[in-house]
Amino acid sequence: MLNKYYRLSNGVKIPKIGFGTAMMDNLTTQSTVKKAIDLGYRLIDTAYIYENEVGVGNAINSSDIDRKELFVTTKIDPSAKNYLDAKQNLDKSFQNLNSDYIDLLLIHSPQPWNEFRGENHYLKENIAIWKLLEEFYESDLVRAIGVSNFQKIDLDNLIDNCEIKPMVNQVLAHISNTPFDIIDYSRNEEVLVEAYSPLANSKILNNPNLQIMAEEYDVTVAQLCIKYCIELGLLPIVKSEDTEHMKENLDFNFKISHLDMEYLEHIERISSYGDLDYMSIYSKQI
Ligand code: NAP
């Protein structure tokens, strides 16, 4: 990996790949994140709603790696849609993570989970919450602020009505389901796009066309998926509890040809897995 970092619009360096922790309990998170850090991951992605910030905090605080070398992202509970609830939520995240600062803080979703992708975009409410994020940013308690699952209307709302532009938008993005419109729009606004579920939650790994292409590069389909995101300038957030997979996913030192990228960018939808599926899997879990 020649260049291991992207730079956010405020100049903060952010690792090019992140380690996801959704659907892991605290104990598993603690041991898995510790292993991930030992293997070389530096960006750890959690969220209040994952209920595993304590595990992330324990792993980070017991690691031999200097805290400054690590990059911790967490997200405000999607159901906290007013300033006070979001503030209480954020105070709790700080306690859970047992950290003086958070590297990246995101609004998890424009809508509460049970209204995800609904008509109400909670515009006024998201402005109020964004002001809270701005306060924490200005007090140096968080190094960067951003959003997740935001569409153009949600981003415009903050860009037009608030002081500080979001620095990151974390969205579902993988081969055969890449939201180029929001990616291009975000890029024009200097918002770095993070790709969550870059392996489509493993649902596209058995695709024969991807297997053939991966073989040509002497890599696995998972590595092809991760490199595809990086070739597009996205920051993949990938999750694994398997040591070999964790190692494999960090090894993306190859280049996908222009022609193959063209093919991958236009490939028909391979799996029906989408962000709504994710929300429903998640809602069943909690
Ligand atoms: P993912 O990273 O696309 O896929 C994870 C699945 O792929 C796991 O089943 C894993 O199983 C398998 N896998 C990983 N590496 C592999 C490899 N090299 N070979 C074969 N299988 C492999 O899916 P995700 O967990 O949905 O998303 C990743 C992260 O994005 C989450 O953990 C979370 O941090 C973030 N996220 C954010 C949002 C949001 O709303 N902002 C939504 C969804 C996800 P093994 O454990 O067996 O490796």
Side-chain angles (χ1 to χ4, degrees):
M1 233 193 304
L2 281 179
N3 182 0
K4 290 183 175 172
Y5 296 94
Y6 290 119
R7 249 184 220 280
L8 299 177
S9 58
N10 64 346
V12 164
K13 271 187 352 183
I14 181 167
K16 269 200 170 163
I17 183 165
F19 187 76
T21 63
M23 320 260 189
M24 276 199 266
D25 62 30
N26 268 310
L27 269 183
T28 315
T29 301
Q30 184 169 337
S31 55
T32 312
V33 169
K34 184 155 185 340
K35 199 189 297 166
I37 293 173
D38 290 343
L39 290 173
Y41 290 89
R42 293 294 175 260
L43 190 170
I44 310 299
D45 183 85
T46 182
Y48 180 81
I49 201 172
Y50 299 169
E51 295 181 353
N52 61 13
E53 290 172 318
V54 170
V56 171
N58 288 345
I60 279 170
N61 293 328
S62 63
S63 161
D64 297 333
I65 303 294
D66 191 342
R67 172 68 183 87
K68 288 199 187 79
E69 298 294 316
L70 301 172
F71 193 102
V72 181
T73 302
T74 195
K75 316 183 192 88
I76 302 266
D77 185 344
S79 64
K81 281 295 171 212
N82 63 65
Y83 181 95
L84 215 63
D85 285 352
K87 168 84 170 59
Q88 278 171 2
N89 178 210
L90 186 50
D91 290 343
K92 193 80 181 50
S93 287
F94 270 95
Q95 275 171 32
N96 288 341
L97 289 164
N98 192 12
S99 178
D100 297 340
Y101 67 93
I102 288 165
D103 293 278
L104 175 62
L105 178 64
L106 306 178
I107 299 182
H108 203 145
S109 157
Q111 292 95 0
W113 241 221
N114 56 355
E115 291 178 56
F116 189 70
R117 296 288 178 250
E119 272 176 28
N120 184 351
H121 283 262
Y122 285 82
L123 299 178
K124 247 179 37 212
E125 291 82 354
N126 285 323
I127 290 174
I129 297 167
W130 189 251
K131 295 223 159 32
L132 172 76
L133 268 64
E134 288 179 333
E135 284 167 22
F136 272 69
Y137 176 70
E138 273 159 1
S139 318
D140 291 331
L141 291 166
V142 300
R143 296 177 65 226
I145 50 179
V147 294
S148 176
N149 295 302
F150 269 42
Q151 297 176 315
K152 183 174 181 301
I153 176 178
D154 309 303
L155 273 177
D156 277 343
N157 177 43
L158 299 188
I159 291 170
D160 294 345
N161 297 300
C162 301
E163 291 288 314
I164 304 174
K165 264 195 207 177
M167 291 146 200
V168 166
N169 189 11
Q170 183 180 115
V171 299
L172 175 78
H174 56 79
I175 292 173
S176 87
N177 188 10
T178 312
F180 288 105
D181 47 352
I182 195 70
I183 291 171
D184 291 344
Y185 181 75
S186 301
R187 185 164 293 143
N188 283 340
E189 295 292 342
E190 297 182 293
V191 179
L192 179 77
V193 178
E194 293 186 338
Y196 75 69
S197 304
L199 315 181
N201 207 253
S202 85
K203 311 280 185 300
I204 58 173
L205 299 182
N206 291 328
N207 178 265
N209 292 330
L210 296 187
Q211 282 171 339
I212 290 168
M213 187 182 285
E215 269 170 36
E216 282 167 13
Y217 287 95
D218 201 16
V219 298
T220 64
V221 175
Q223 289 169 319
L224 188 71
C225 290
I226 289 166
K227 189 63 186 201
Y228 166 80
C229 291
I230 292 175
E231 297 277 14
L232 290 175
L234 311 178
L235 191 162
I237 307 283
V238 63
K239 180 195 155 187
S240 176
E241 293 180 36
D242 177 289
T243 308
E244 289 313 307
H245 290 166
M246 287 159 81
K247 280 189 209 158
E248 183 183 309
N249 297 343
L250 274 183
D251 185 6
F252 47 85
N253 201 0
F254 65 102
K255 185 147 185 47
I256 305 178
S257 75
H258 185 67
L259 216 64
D260 286 340
M261 277 304 288
E262 283 264 306
Y263 170 79
L264 294 174
E265 283 171 34
H266 296 103
I267 197 168
E268 262 182 46
R269 188 82 177 263
I270 295 171
S271 126
S272 62
Y273 176 76
D275 49 13
L276 281 166
D277 293 301
Y278 187 83
M279 299 313 147
S280 71
I281 297 170
Y282 205 79
S283 314
K284 275 181 209 138
Q285 198 218 10
I286 51 173

